[in-house]
Amino acid sequence: MEIRGNIGEWSELYVLIKLLSDGILYQSDINLSRNINNTYKVIKAFKDEANYSLEFDRVDNHLKVYYIINGKNTLLKEYTFDDFNEISKQILNSIKTKSERTFSIPNIQQFLSDNCILTTKASSHSKADIRLRIYDHRLASETELGFSIKSLLGKKSTLFNTGQGNNFIYEVKSLTDSINIKEFNESTIIDKPKIVSRINKLNELGLKISFHGIQSRQLQKNLKMIDGDLPEVIASSLYYRYLKNESSLVKIADLLEKEDPLGFYETDDDNKQRMYVYKLKKFLAESAMGMTSENIWLGEYDSFGGVIVAKNDGDIVCFHIYDFNLFRNYLLNNTKFEQASTGEDKLHPGQEEPTAKKKYYFGWLYKENNRYFIKLNLQIRFN
C-alpha cells in the first residue's frame, strides 16, 4: 500500500525519524534558534497505528523497531543512526520539492512497509503528535512526554484553522433602512481590500459595531474555557484587524492595550498588567497544543511536554512546558490573522456563491429579522 500525506503529515514523520537519528532535542530561544546549553536526550519514540503501536529504541549505536500488540513486543528491524538520518533527508527533500497537496515518497515506501508504518501522522485518538522518552536534565531522570508538532516546512502553517463556525458575528446598530445594502456591498475603495473598506465605511458613518456572538457554539465554549473574556477579546482583535488593515497579532495586541475596547482599565496606569496581551497569548498557546473550533477542549496537559517546531531548514527545536512563557511570546510575535476565502459571489457582492468550494460566507453587510450584521472569520497563520 502506497503511503501518502500532506506537508504537515509528512512533517510529523520527519520529526520522529530525525530526532531518533540525532538523539537530541534542543530547547528553542525566542528567535527559534537552538539553545545549545539546554538539551534533552532522546531515548525512545512511540507511534500509534490503528490496532497496534510501534516503539523505536536508541540502544548503544543502533536503533531497534518493535511491533507491540496486546502487550507483546516483536522486534521488526534494526538500523544504524545513519540509516535513519538518510531516511529523514529523503523525507525533508520531498517535503521541500513536491508541489502536490498530498504526495508519496517512493524511496522510503519499503522502509515504511518493513516497519508497519501505515500513516504519516499521529493517531486521531492521541492528544499529542509525538510521544518521546527523554532524559530530563531538570529532573535528572527519564520521563515520557507527548509533544505537539508545528511545521514551518514549505508554506507557513496555520496555527488555528478556519471553518464556517469560526465566523464572529457583529451587529451594526443605529443603521436605518435608508441604506441600500446592495449598493453598500458593491461599493469599494480601490486602494483598500473589500472587507477593510466596508468596516471603515461603517466606522465613518458613526455606527456602533457590537459583538453579537460566534457562529460555532463549541468554539464559543472552548474560548470561554480558556478565559471568560476571550470571545470578546478575539472579536475586538478581528474588528481592529480590518479597521486598521493590520494582520500582525503583536501589533493588534498593542492596539488593544492602547484602545482598551472592553474597558479593562480604569486609569492609564492599569494597563501595566497587559491583559489583552496575556489573554491572546493564552489563546495562541492552547491552539498550538491542539485546541480547535469544533472539538471539545478540556485544557488537560497530563504528560504534555510542550511543542516541537520543524523549521524551514529542517532543524528541529522545542519549547518545553517549563519554558512556556517563552513559547507564548514567540507565538504572539510570529503569527498573523489570515483571511480565508469569503465565499462571496464576485458578480453579486453581498451574496453567497453557491458553488464556492469553501463556504465560509463572511465579510459583507446583511439584514436579518430587521437587524443588520456583518461576519468576520478567524484564522491564524505563522508569519
Side-chain angles (χ1 to χ4, degrees):
M1 181 182 71
E2 183 183 63
I3 307 301
R4 300 178 65 86
N6 59 34
I7 288 177
E9 291 164 349
W10 280 115
S11 294
E12 291 188 21
L13 189 61
Y14 169 74
V15 169
L16 174 75
I17 301 299
K18 177 68 171 169
L19 288 179
L20 286 166
S21 168
D22 294 350
I24 296 176
L25 178 57
Y26 289 91
Q27 170 68 33
S28 176
D29 66 13
I30 189 63
N31 298 312
L32 218 61
S33 298
R34 290 180 177 183
N35 181 343
I36 60 175
N37 297 315
N38 195 351
T39 64
Y40 303 93
K41 181 180 178 181
V42 178
I43 299 167
K44 293 183 180 182
F46 308 88
K47 188 178 190 312
D48 294 327
E49 293 290 348
N51 301 311
Y52 56 89
S53 298
L54 299 170
E55 182 178 301
F56 303 82
D57 291 2
R58 286 177 55 89
V59 182
D60 298 326
N61 294 317
H62 57 277
L63 279 154
K64 292 185 176 182
V65 184
Y66 292 94
Y67 176 94
I68 305 173
I69 188 168
N70 298 326
K72 181 180 179 181
N73 291 27
T74 302
L75 178 64
L76 293 176
K77 299 280 287 187
E78 290 191 32
Y79 298 90
T80 67
F81 298 149
D82 287 341
D83 291 333
F84 264 52
N85 185 47
E86 183 59 32
I87 294 292
S88 73
K89 287 180 179 178
Q90 293 187 42
I91 298 174
L92 178 61
N93 181 64
S94 294
I95 289 174
K96 302 285 280 185
T97 58
K98 295 287 186 178
S99 57
E100 306 97 319
R101 184 178 179 276
T102 63
F103 54 91
S104 65
I105 305 177
N107 291 347
I108 71 164
Q109 291 296 320
Q110 189 61 52
F111 168 83
L112 299 176
S113 177
D114 289 346
N115 295 286
C116 300
I117 297 175
L118 301 179
T119 57
T120 56
K121 61 181 295 185
S123 167
S124 59
H125 301 294
S126 175
K127 294 180 181 179
D129 294 324
I130 188 173
R131 287 189 297 126
L132 300 173
R133 176 171 288 275
I134 61 175
Y135 179 78
D136 190 331
H137 60 88
R138 304 191 199 198
L139 298 176
S141 65
E142 293 183 11
T143 181
E144 186 176 319
L145 297 170
F147 290 84
S148 173
I149 295 175
K150 293 300 170 185
S151 174
L152 303 183
L153 298 170
K155 183 180 178 182
K156 299 293 187 182
S157 65
T158 54
L159 177 70
F160 192 78
N161 289 319
T162 191
Q164 191 171 25
N166 289 29
N167 287 337
F168 281 61
I169 306 167
Y170 304 77
E171 183 174 3
V172 183
K173 297 188 175 181
S174 303
L175 188 61
T176 65
D177 289 338
S178 61
I179 191 170
N180 186 310
I181 294 182
K182 182 175 181 294
E183 290 181 359
F184 176 89
N185 287 323
E186 289 177 348
S187 64
T188 58
I189 299 175
I190 296 175
D191 63 345
K192 289 183 180 180
K194 182 166 50 180
I195 302 178
V196 172
S197 174
R198 290 168 179 168
I199 292 294
N200 274 272
K201 179 170 283 191
L202 292 172
N203 184 63
E204 290 164 7
L205 291 172
L207 300 170
K208 182 180 180 182
I209 301 178
S210 176
F211 174 52
H212 179 71
I214 303 175
Q215 202 157 309
S216 166
R217 183 168 176 266
Q218 187 59 58
L219 177 56
Q220 174 100 12
K221 291 193 293 183
N222 285 351
L223 294 179
K224 281 189 170 292
M225 168 73 82
I226 299 170
D227 187 292
D229 295 319
L230 202 49
E232 288 76 15
V233 169
I234 293 181
S236 296
S237 301
L238 275 173
Y239 173 70
Y240 279 109
R241 178 261 179 271
Y242 288 102
L243 182 67
K244 302 297 183 180
N245 195 18
E246 176 59 66
S247 62
S248 165
L249 261 293
V250 69
K251 291 182 180 178
I252 290 295
D254 287 339
L255 185 61
L256 293 176
E257 292 293 344
K258 178 181 177 182
E259 299 292 332
D260 189 20
L262 300 183
F264 288 151
Y265 310 128
E266 295 181 3
T267 68
D268 292 340
D269 289 336
D270 285 350
N271 66 1
K272 290 178 181 178
Q273 280 191 276
R274 308 276 288 171
M275 291 186 187
Y276 294 96
V277 168
Y278 176 71
K279 293 171 189 289
L280 284 174
K281 284 180 182 179
K282 286 178 66 179
F283 163 68
L284 295 173
E286 303 272 323
S287 298
M289 291 185 286
M291 193 272 290
T292 63
S293 56
E294 296 304 334
N295 294 320
I296 295 174
W297 181 246
L298 300 177
E300 295 177 347
Y301 312 124
D302 292 344
S303 300
F304 183 78
V307 177
I308 292 173
V309 181
K311 296 165 58 177
N312 190 48
D313 62 1
D315 194 20
I316 295 172
V317 293
C318 80
F319 290 96
H320 197 284
I321 196 73
Y322 297 141
D323 302 286
F324 231 52
N325 284 334
L326 187 68
F327 180 54
R328 287 173 172 174
N329 289 332
Y330 168 76
L331 289 176
L332 186 64
N333 283 278
N334 290 278
T335 51
K336 64 180 180 180
F337 286 114
E338 174 145 297
Q339 182 181 311
S341 176
T342 64
E344 183 175 8
D345 191 328
K346 294 181 180 178
L347 299 178
H348 304 91
Q351 296 184 34
E352 299 176 357
E353 170 53 65
T355 61
K357 293 182 179 179
K358 299 179 179 179
K359 304 179 185 298
Y360 303 142
Y361 300 144
F362 70 97
W364 59 84
L365 186 66
Y366 66 97
K367 187 177 182 180
E368 189 175 87
N369 297 325
N370 293 317
R371 298 161 70 185
Y372 295 90
F373 301 91
I374 191 168
K375 296 178 181 180
L376 301 177
N377 186 272
L378 174 64
Q379 176 167 266
I380 296 175
R381 186 179 293 277
F382 284 97
N383 292 336

